[in-house]
Amino acid sequence: MRRLGRRPRASGRPGLLTPRPSLTYRLISYLLVFPVFRLLFRGRILGKENVPMEGALVVVANHGSHLDPPLLGHALGRPVAFMAKAELFKVPLLGRIIRACGAYPVSRGASDREAIRTATDRLAEGWATGVFIDGSRQVDGRVNAPLPGAALLAARAGVPLLPVAILNTYRALGTGQGWPRLVPVQIRIGTPIPPPASRRRADLDGTTATVQAQINALLDQGLLRGAEHRAALPPTSAGPDPSAPTPEP
């Protein structure tokens, strides 16, 4: 099984590398996650043009379901590293698959300091590192009690945060549900936010509040259907709808 390769960043800190999707990652993303998201849940991704494709990045999202990590990795179009329980890496095949897709182990009972250190190491390797800002699944799928961990990671590594809103997975397979409901699921990708000016609590809390506000604002826009897609998207400096084909010069 191929390991994740590396390729140089186009810009940024010298020597920083960006992980390249492995064959395993591509197979899982396009043969498993893609049909589940696009066909079963009628998935749609909005704002993909906001995703920096090179360099380290803290991806910050709301959390309503166990569906969120694979859907988020697929939506961004680049591998996203997430924390996973160390026990999962001991399961035959599963451990190799999730490792190939960028997951990294965190021991049960590990301190927050250890988890932050591990995530910082991933950022130093150029990963997009995923953080669910509430720390656990929320029954309403919103950002309710955000933790400063994502802002701290961004401050330590000096990298931007990318807010992402995952709509409706809390209804598709939320807490207490044994079987999924085939409701529409959409992902709205916000605009990058600079890292906090320092690691002081006031700066971390300010950035965390900004991320929370942007994610909840994206959630408040609700699900788009059909022609509403183009009508509801705000205009950009680029002019035409970014989802439309680029005209020939």
Side-chain angles (χ1 to χ4, degrees):
M1 188 174 295
R2 291 175 52 191
R3 293 186 178 181
L4 284 167
R6 298 287 192 269
R7 62 186 176 196
R9 279 188 64 187
S11 61
R13 286 176 288 176
L16 186 59
L17 304 175
T18 298
R20 184 175 56 204
S22 68
L23 176 61
T24 304
Y25 174 89
R26 290 171 179 166
L27 289 174
I28 293 173
S29 181
Y30 290 102
L31 297 183
L32 179 60
V33 180
F34 179 85
V36 169
F37 177 56
R38 300 285 186 160
L39 301 180
L40 293 184
F41 293 111
R42 291 158 281 168
R44 176 174 290 168
I45 303 167
L46 305 174
K48 196 168 182 177
E49 69 278 3
N50 294 330
V51 182
M53 299 308 293
E54 297 287 345
L57 180 71
V58 179
V59 180
V60 193
N62 57 307
H63 192 21
S65 169
H66 288 315
L67 295 170
D68 295 339
L71 295 186
L72 193 56
H74 170 74
L76 265 61
R78 60 178 290 185
V80 180
F82 284 94
M83 299 180 189
K85 294 185 295 185
E87 293 82 358
L88 296 179
F89 291 84
K90 300 177 182 179
V91 179
L93 186 59
L94 175 61
R96 299 184 67 184
I97 289 175
I98 62 176
R99 190 181 296 276
C101 291
Y104 53 94
V106 176
S107 301
R108 185 183 297 275
S111 66
D112 290 341
R113 186 184 299 273
E114 180 181 343
I116 290 289
R117 187 185 306 115
T118 302
T120 302
D121 289 343
R122 287 294 185 271
L123 289 170
E125 296 170 358
W127 278 95
T129 300
V131 177
F132 293 116
I133 193 168
D134 281 296
S136 60
R137 291 176 294 162
Q138 303 294 296
V139 294
D140 60 357
R142 296 182 63 81
V143 178
N144 297 308
L147 302 173
L152 177 58
L153 281 176
R156 286 170 61 101
V159 301
L161 303 100
L162 182 68
V164 178
I166 307 174
L167 287 79
N168 235 21
T169 55
Y170 76 98
R171 293 182 59 228
L173 188 63
T175 56
Q177 288 182 236
W179 293 94
R181 298 172 58 195
L182 301 183
V183 298
V185 169
Q186 294 179 9
I187 296 177
R188 291 180 178 270
I189 301 170
T191 55
I193 294 172
S198 74
R199 301 184 198 177
R200 294 181 301 177
R201 187 58 186 255
D203 290 329
L204 298 181
D205 287 346
T207 298
T208 299
T210 300
V211 173
Q212 177 186 21
Q214 188 173 152
I215 293 175
N216 281 340
L218 291 169
L219 292 172
D220 288 340
Q221 293 181 32
L223 298 170
L224 295 185
R225 296 179 176 84
E228 294 176 343
H229 180 134
R230 295 192 179 190
L233 285 177
T236 68
S237 58
D241 183 348
S243 66
T246 303
E248 293 293 332

